[in-house]
Amino acid sequence: MPPRVAPIRIKSLSDAARLLVELQVQDDGVEIMAPKQVFHAFRITDLDVRAANILKQEALSKGAECATPRSVITTAEGVTTVILAGTRAQLDAVCDNLARQPFGLRGVREQILAQLGYIETSPSSWQIAGRELDLSRTLVMGIVNVTPDSFSNAGEHADPQAAIEAALAMEADGADIIDVGGESTRPGSDAVGVDEEIARVIPVIEALVGRLRIPVAIDTRKPEVARRAVEAGAAIINDVTAFADDAMVELAAKTGAGCVLMHMLGEP
């Protein structure tokens, strides 16, 4: 069979790194090559014409491009607009040099780096335990607390059947994820033992997985509860302690479950 060529679209540094890891490139190779595979372009307005000429030379010296109006060559004063374009690696190198340049270029450098940072923090999807959630819009998580003392629904889902019916109704209403919890963390609440928490959540998760088209999350701070929930089909671990327990980290890594890191000040 002859070689086949297929285009790929790389939108971020994390996309590039993921593709290289899938290709089984060595770690140091991923670090070197990923920034060379991500292309960015910036329109820079109200730029001093002297800065525009410097920026063009800096870009060309690093293999990037800086498009300027023809008039910039013969104009000594005023402002102009340019388009700077290059790979992430090229633009990083340009920015390194701009830190020492006059005519407002240090401010341009700061804006470019800020924009590059913003681009890298906007993933388009969330990979969770063998499936993918589209992040092009805000997702809605339906909360089902199988507890008698929750502050959010006052124990109305403490009965397993009530919890199951509530989850199915939430999906019908448009929820993207169902979050099942068996221990309240409201102020003043009492801790729940592992066995009791498992007895509350596992029957609900087992009943929902297969009936729901959307993924189920387990809301717990106990690794053993999370493990049993993932075995029952939960695809996301939602931990109010932000994975303070190393065993929870190891479980998420081993199973590929999605991770939700919550913040809690002190103890309930």
Side-chain angles (χ1 to χ4, degrees):
M1 180 181 294
R4 293 179 296 172
V5 178
I8 56 176
R9 184 181 181 187
I10 299 176
K11 295 187 289 185
S12 68
L13 190 61
S14 57
D15 276 353
R18 176 177 54 80
L19 288 169
L20 292 169
V21 169
E22 290 175 355
L23 196 62
Q24 298 185 347
V25 174
Q26 290 184 336
D27 291 347
D28 54 350
V30 172
E31 185 176 351
I32 293 169
M33 288 185 280
K36 298 179 180 179
Q37 297 183 357
V38 189
F39 188 86
H40 301 290
F42 298 99
R43 185 191 305 274
I44 305 172
T45 59
D46 300 319
L47 185 65
D48 188 301
V49 292
R50 295 168 296 179
N53 280 309
I54 293 173
L55 183 57
K56 187 175 185 69
Q57 295 305 313
E58 292 288 1
L60 293 175
S61 72
K62 302 303 180 184
E65 293 289 346
C66 183
T68 63
R70 186 179 302 173
S71 59
V72 166
I73 301 174
T74 57
T75 303
E77 297 180 347
V79 295
T80 189
T81 296
V82 306
I83 295 177
L84 177 67
T87 67
R88 175 63 183 263
Q90 291 166 344
L91 294 177
D92 281 346
V94 170
C95 284
D96 285 344
N97 283 5
L98 293 186
R100 298 181 292 275
Q101 295 294 353
F103 309 128
L105 284 171
R106 279 172 288 198
V108 169
R109 171 185 181 271
E110 292 172 2
Q111 292 185 62
I112 292 172
L113 291 176
Q115 290 290 335
L116 289 173
Y118 171 78
I119 290 168
E120 298 314 324
T121 57
S122 302
S124 60
S125 64
W126 187 18
Q127 308 292 327
I128 55 167
R131 60 194 299 177
E132 183 177 61
L133 289 179
D134 180 11
L135 297 182
S136 62
R137 63 175 179 83
T138 300
L139 301 182
V140 175
M141 175 184 276
I143 306 301
V144 178
N145 288 319
V146 195
T147 59
D149 56 345
S150 170
F151 63 81
S152 63
N153 42 29
E156 63 185 60
H157 301 151
D159 176 71
Q161 189 57 40
I164 293 165
E165 291 174 1
L168 295 172
M170 289 177 186
E171 180 186 43
D173 287 340
D176 300 287
I177 303 167
I178 295 298
D179 187 57
V180 179
E183 179 185 46
S184 174
T185 52
R186 64 173 175 77
S189 62
D190 295 324
V192 175
V194 171
D195 292 341
E196 174 63 21
E197 190 173 344
I198 288 174
R200 291 177 178 181
V201 300
I202 297 305
V204 175
I205 293 173
E206 288 177 339
L208 291 175
V209 172
R211 294 181 67 181
L212 292 175
R213 297 184 303 276
I214 59 178
V216 174
I218 174 63
D219 180 350
T220 185
R221 50 181 172 167
K222 300 182 181 71
E224 180 58 20
V225 176
R227 183 185 67 79
R228 291 286 300 275
V230 171
E231 289 175 352
I236 300 167
I237 299 171
N238 177 10
D239 183 356
V240 72
T241 69
F243 285 66
D245 191 324
D246 288 343
M248 194 75 92
V249 178
E250 293 169 5
L251 175 67
K254 181 179 179 180
T255 61
C259 303
V260 178
L261 283 73
M262 299 294 289
H263 170 70
M264 179 172 63
L265 183 62
E267 293 293 328

